[in-house]
Amino acid sequence: MSKVKVGLIQIHCGEFIEQNIQKTIEKIKETVNKGAQIVCLQELFSSQYFPQTVSVENYDLAEDVDSGALAEMGELAKELGIVLIVPFYERAGAGIYFNSAAVFDADGECLGITRKNHIPDGPQYHEKYYFVPGNTGYPVYETAYGKIGVGICWDEWFPEVARILSLQGAEILFYPSAIGSEPDHPEISTRPSWEKAISAHGISNGVFVAATNRVGQEKDMNFYGGSFISDTLGNILASLDDEEGIIVQEIDLKEIEKTRNILQFFRDRRVDTYDPILQKEMLPTPSPSKKGTNKGLSCSNENRLQWKKSSMAST
């Protein structure tokens, strides 16, 4: 089976968790009625985006992996015969919390959990207070309807995540998100950049991309929605604007091989030259300069030569 229907759900979250869950379940059933076989929910789907503020009380929103809400989603996946990606706030232990996503197969089995690796921090995105950086790596799940990988929100901006998932055989990259207004730059909308950056992963890896976002006003933030599905050439196949809704889009996984036979990025990769990408930074280390001189970067060429020599030696 090469053709599969992908469903995304984009809703506005209210203050009451149970209402958000019930609304989401209704939307899941709506996507299934339209033929969806793999359904992805938005990041932290059951609550409003609480990292807008710092409050110790918000730790109470976290749940164990064997919680009733997740069990209910597993049963729903089994009942409907779908693969279901469920992002949630995970309590792993006392004082240890992750931003996670559980992946349920069409028989209701939990195939595993992906924990968000890249944790942002900025005005009204205070995620470092709430989430420990993920320790699950970048797993790929072989589901009833294809091989999928998951990157959670900030992860979606990093090309390394998409490449690692694709190298492991992922055919569809899912990116549950919670992104909207930039409080310190109210004149800027990152939505066009968000769509371009994420859909571009499909081009450079020859895979399908499905990104889902929340929408609407939550306290001081407005989430712009814009959920979409793109193909192996980065073309947007279906999308939503700034309203609640669902997407159901059929894709043909055979397009992956067709695209990679044209754009041979995997064949032509030079992994022997990529050592610098594993460094946090490679900027020249300045040496102290004397007052009134311009010799502060005198060691930069030496640093570059040293790296070139070590790189050549490794080959």
Side-chain angles (χ1 to χ4, degrees), residues 35-51:
Q37 296 163 297
I38 307 177
V39 179
C40 183
L41 312 183
Q42 62 204 35
E43 181 185 20
L44 303 169
F45 86 96
S46 65
S47 69
Q48 291 192 327
Y49 183 72
F50 54 87

Side-chain angles (χ1 to χ4, degrees), residues 244-310:
E244 289 190 309
I246 65 170
I247 296 174
V248 177
Q249 176 66 43
E250 184 176 73
I251 61 175
D252 189 348
L253 300 179
K254 288 184 179 178
E255 293 298 320
I256 295 173
E257 186 169 6
K258 290 181 181 178
T259 299
R260 290 181 181 175
N261 285 342
I262 298 170
L263 300 175
Q264 292 277 8
F265 299 130
F266 279 19
R267 180 195 66 192
D268 297 336
R269 293 175 66 237
R270 285 291 310 281
V271 295
D272 55 310
T273 68
Y274 298 159
D275 284 350
I277 201 71
L278 299 178
Q279 307 304 314
K280 188 70 173 179
E281 55 86 16
M282 290 193 66
L283 298 173
T285 303
S287 59
S289 60
K290 293 181 179 180
K291 187 176 181 180
T293 67
N294 293 312
K295 298 180 180 180
L297 299 179
S298 60
C299 64
S300 60
N301 288 335
E302 180 182 346
N303 288 345
R304 292 193 184 99
L305 286 172
Q306 184 178 359
W307 174 79
K308 287 181 180 179
K309 289 178 180 178
S310 61

Side-chain angles (χ1 to χ4, degrees), residues 143-164:
T143 76
Y145 303 114
K147 296 178 182 178
I148 66 172
V150 181
I152 302 174
C153 203
W154 197 224
D155 290 336
E156 68 204 0
W157 291 87
F158 292 82
E160 297 89 347
V161 176
R163 179 53 55 93
I164 292 170

Side-chain angles (χ1 to χ4, degrees), residues 4-79:
V4 59
K5 286 191 175 181
V6 174
L8 300 180
I9 293 173
Q10 175 176 292
I11 68 167
H12 171 254
C13 284
E15 295 183 3
F16 301 104
I17 288 177
E18 190 55 39
Q19 290 181 8
N20 296 329
I21 293 175
Q22 290 306 312
K23 181 193 287 189
T24 299
I25 289 174
E26 292 173 8
K27 291 296 184 182
I28 291 172
K29 292 180 177 179
E30 185 180 342
T31 65
V32 173
N33 288 338
K34 294 188 176 183
Q37 296 163 297
I38 307 177
V39 179
C40 183
L41 312 183
Q42 62 204 35
E43 181 185 20
L44 303 169
F45 86 96
S46 65
S47 69
Q48 291 192 327
Y49 183 72
F50 54 87
Q52 286 190 53
T53 59
V54 171
S55 172
V56 69
E57 295 179 355
N58 286 333
Y59 289 131
D60 293 336
L61 296 172
E63 53 189 318
D64 299 332
V65 294
D66 57 355
S67 70
L70 281 180
E72 182 180 9
M73 288 297 170
E75 287 299 318
L76 184 64
K78 181 179 181 180
E79 174 190 338

Side-chain angles (χ1 to χ4, degrees), residues 34 59 91 94 117 146 155 177 195 211 227 276 299:
K34 294 188 176 183
Y59 289 131
R91 180 187 183 275
N117 284 285
D155 290 336
S177 312
E195 182 182 282
S227 303
C299 64

